[in-house]
Amino acid sequence: MTSPTDDHSDRHADKFNDPRAEFTRRGILLGVGVALFGIGGAALSIWARRTRLEQSTQFWGPEVIEAFQLAAEIHLISQPDQPASEAQPLRLTGMPGLGHLRHLLLDDRSYIWDSVRDEPIRSRLNESSCMTLWFSDPEAKRFPDAKVIIDLDQGWIGKQDGNQQVQLAERFRNALPAFLKRIADFEPLRVEMREKKLAEDQ
């Protein structure tokens, strides 16, 4: 009778006792190299994807950058040329895609910095189709409200009360206006449907 520790009772004993299985220096170095390559690749990926804020902070200012990052409420004003009393902001808070919007506005690579003009973006309100993004923090009040005007036709953008404007990079020049137009067209319908459903439930 064999004991439980007898090699004959272990079906895999031959795998551990196979004289052909040996750890060579080359194999160890190869394993370490693969691990280091994986770590380096992950670090490079993180570095490449990180948000770059140097030029955007200089253009927008630290308070607006903070608004982009922390705003608890985000609204869209689809007709910014209207008087403030008549404007009907659309509430975007919690809507899918806002994380990408924040990243776009923050990242240096979203803009063509050679295009910066010392000219208020408000001057485009009568020339182009524009919309305004309104960032606020009504409860915590960690920063003053920030309003940003976007020229939907040519991709210019700037602070509503600022004296500069910059053009979006080509890949965002059409994508951002298309996103905002889609929201402006869909959100009122969504609100109407929600209110109708609540009325029916009551």
Side-chain angles (χ1 to χ4, degrees):
M1 182 174 179
T2 59
S3 67
T5 57
D6 195 314
D7 283 347
H8 295 293
S9 65
D10 187 351
R11 291 177 297 175
H12 303 291
D14 59 328
K15 294 182 180 179
F16 299 103
N17 298 325
D18 190 342
R20 294 172 298 174
E22 58 182 37
F23 294 101
T24 64
R25 183 177 179 183
R26 181 182 177 189
I28 294 172
L29 290 176
L30 183 61
V32 171
V34 169
L36 290 176
F37 180 79
I39 293 170
L44 183 62
S45 175
I46 293 170
W47 177 84
R49 293 182 183 183
R50 85 188 195 287
T51 304
R52 300 176 186 174
L53 296 170
E54 295 177 10
Q55 290 172 292
S56 56
T57 300
Q58 185 177 353
F59 177 80
W60 292 113
E63 289 183 340
V64 177
I65 290 294
E66 193 173 7
F68 291 163
Q69 292 173 324
L70 304 176
E73 292 288 335
I74 303 176
H75 289 81
L76 176 66
I77 302 173
S78 57
Q79 295 179 309
D81 53 340
Q82 287 185 333
S85 58
E86 298 179 14
Q88 297 182 343
L90 302 174
R91 187 171 184 266
L92 309 186
T93 309
M95 181 174 290
L98 288 188
H100 295 294
L101 175 63
R102 291 180 193 264
H103 184 269
L104 185 157
L105 294 171
L106 287 166
D107 202 310
D108 287 352
R109 293 163 290 192
S110 300
Y111 308 95
I112 302 174
W113 295 112
D114 292 340
S115 70
V116 173
R117 294 181 180 178
D118 293 325
E119 180 183 349
I121 190 70
R122 296 185 306 278
S123 63
R124 295 189 169 273
L125 291 177
N126 297 324
E127 302 174 2
S128 303
S129 176
C130 297
M131 290 187 184
T132 298
L133 284 169
W134 174 16
F135 299 82
S136 63
D137 192 32
E139 293 186 6
K141 299 187 183 301
R142 291 167 289 184
F143 51 83
D145 288 9
K147 290 185 178 180
V148 171
I149 296 177
I150 301 104
D151 175 348
L152 304 179
D153 298 329
Q154 300 179 49
W156 292 91
I157 187 170
K159 289 187 289 187
Q160 178 175 282
D161 59 353
N163 295 313
Q164 285 189 318
Q165 54 184 286
V166 65
Q167 196 169 32
L168 291 165
E170 187 175 356
R171 61 180 294 197
F172 303 117
R173 209 173 298 161
N174 295 321
L176 179 57
F179 174 70
L180 297 179
K181 288 176 184 176
R182 189 162 60 247
I183 291 174
D185 291 339
F186 174 72
E187 184 63 9
L189 178 62
R190 188 175 72 89
V191 171
E192 182 181 343
M193 291 173 63
R194 185 176 62 212
E195 291 176 349
K196 183 178 178 181
K197 187 176 185 304
L198 286 173
E200 289 175 352
D201 292 341
Q202 292 175 356

